[in-house]
Each structure stands twice: as structure tokens, then as C-alpha cells.
Amino acid sequence: SHGNKEVFSCRGILLAVQWFWDRGHKDITVFVPSWRKEQPRPDVLITDQHILRDLEKKKILVFTPSRRVGGKRVVCYDDRFIVKLAHESDGVVVSNDTYRDLQSERPEWKKFIEERLLMYSFVNDKY
């Protein structure tokens, strides 16, 4: 949302990570689809892509798998990675996604998502 739904803003990810880091939260994991590492296309803009690599080197960011099959990109369902890790580590999910489909997948995830989903917004560069 930092890119106003016009661009994928890596700076927005960094601002969110920094916000939690500054408040003493050191066990932070960011999931991003691996295709975000690729050269951006005109219809899928991305800014400050180097931030993703920096966060990956610091072991804060994890790229979720994707591959090409017959010229088409096949991506994994990264929402499942997010909820599974947060549930297993008794963490919090920071997202504006409500994960409705995953709430019905496992009863323990439903309660977890209801109680541990933290939605957010940006006002310019303020998280």
C-alpha cells in the first residue's frame, strides 16, 4: 500500500520492518514472491528493489518459490507460508489481507487469524 497500488514499493516494506525493529521486535520475517527479484515489467512496477536483497542478506526477508511452466509463471500460495509460520512461532501477521480462505482451512488458524492479524496503513512515509 506504500506505493498507492501503482507500484510495488520496497521502501514500504523497509519502513514497516524498521517500525517493529525500533520497538524491540527482532524476530521479523517478510515473505515476498521470488518473481519480485526479476527485472520489473512496465505493467508491474517496483521501486527500490535493492532493499529486498538487503533484507534477504539480513535474514529478514524470504522469497517464496515460483517457477515457469510453458512460459507462464506458477507461484506458490504465499499466504499459507505467512499464516503457518506466524501460528507455529506464536507471532503476529501484519497484513491487510483477511485470509478468509485460510480461516476455513484449519480451525486453529481461524482463531489465530481473528486474534493475531494486525492491519496497517501508510500516511506518506509514516507507517
Side-chain angles (χ1 to χ4, degrees), residues 4 30 35 58 64 67 87 98 109 125:
N4 293 323
V30 175
W35 61 269
K58 294 176 181 169
T64 57
R67 59 192 171 112
H87 183 260
T98 59
W109 284 5
D125 275 352

Side-chain angles (χ1 to χ4, degrees), residues 60-109:
I60 293 173
L61 185 140
V62 175
F63 287 103
T64 57
S66 69
R67 59 192 171 112
R68 289 208 172 269
V69 177
K72 291 192 173 196
R73 181 181 297 122
V74 178
V75 297
C76 72
Y77 188 49
D78 57 355
D79 288 0
R80 193 170 284 113
F81 279 85
I82 294 164
V83 172
K84 185 175 188 301
L85 177 65
H87 183 260
E88 289 174 355
S89 62
D90 198 30
V92 173
V93 175
V94 179
S95 176
N96 288 335
D97 189 331
T98 59
Y99 302 98
R100 280 195 191 106
D101 54 330
L102 292 179
Q103 289 187 39
S104 61
E105 192 171 295
R106 294 188 181 177
E108 66 271 21
W109 284 5

Side-chain angles (χ1 to χ4, degrees), residues 3-92:
N4 293 323
K5 299 181 182 178
E6 296 170 11
V7 299
F8 184 85
S9 170
C10 300
R11 179 163 163 68
I13 293 172
L14 181 60
L15 290 168
V17 167
Q18 194 64 53
W19 192 90
F20 286 97
W21 191 267
D22 290 347
R23 284 153 182 80
H25 302 283
K26 304 302 181 201
D27 188 7
I28 300 170
T29 304
V30 175
F31 287 102
V32 174
S34 62
W35 61 269
R36 292 285 187 189
K37 290 192 270 189
E38 298 171 7
Q39 187 68 27
R41 298 186 332 232
D43 60 329
V44 187
L45 298 175
I46 184 168
T47 58
D48 299 315
Q49 207 168 16
H50 67 280
I51 290 171
L52 300 182
R53 286 186 220 62
D54 293 345
L55 290 173
E56 183 184 32
K57 285 178 192 166
K58 294 176 181 169
K59 301 197 181 303
I60 293 173
L61 185 140
V62 175
F63 287 103
T64 57
S66 69
R67 59 192 171 112
R68 289 208 172 269
V69 177
K72 291 192 173 196
R73 181 181 297 122
V74 178
V75 297
C76 72
Y77 188 49
D78 57 355
D79 288 0
R80 193 170 284 113
F81 279 85
I82 294 164
V83 172
K84 185 175 188 301
L85 177 65
H87 183 260
E88 289 174 355
S89 62
D90 198 30
V92 173

Side-chain angles (χ1 to χ4, degrees), residues 83 86-87 91 93 108-117:
V83 172
H87 183 260
V93 175
E108 66 271 21
W109 284 5
K110 179 177 178 21
K111 183 173 173 32
F112 179 80
I113 292 167
E114 287 172 351
E115 296 175 357
R116 293 296 190 95
L117 177 61

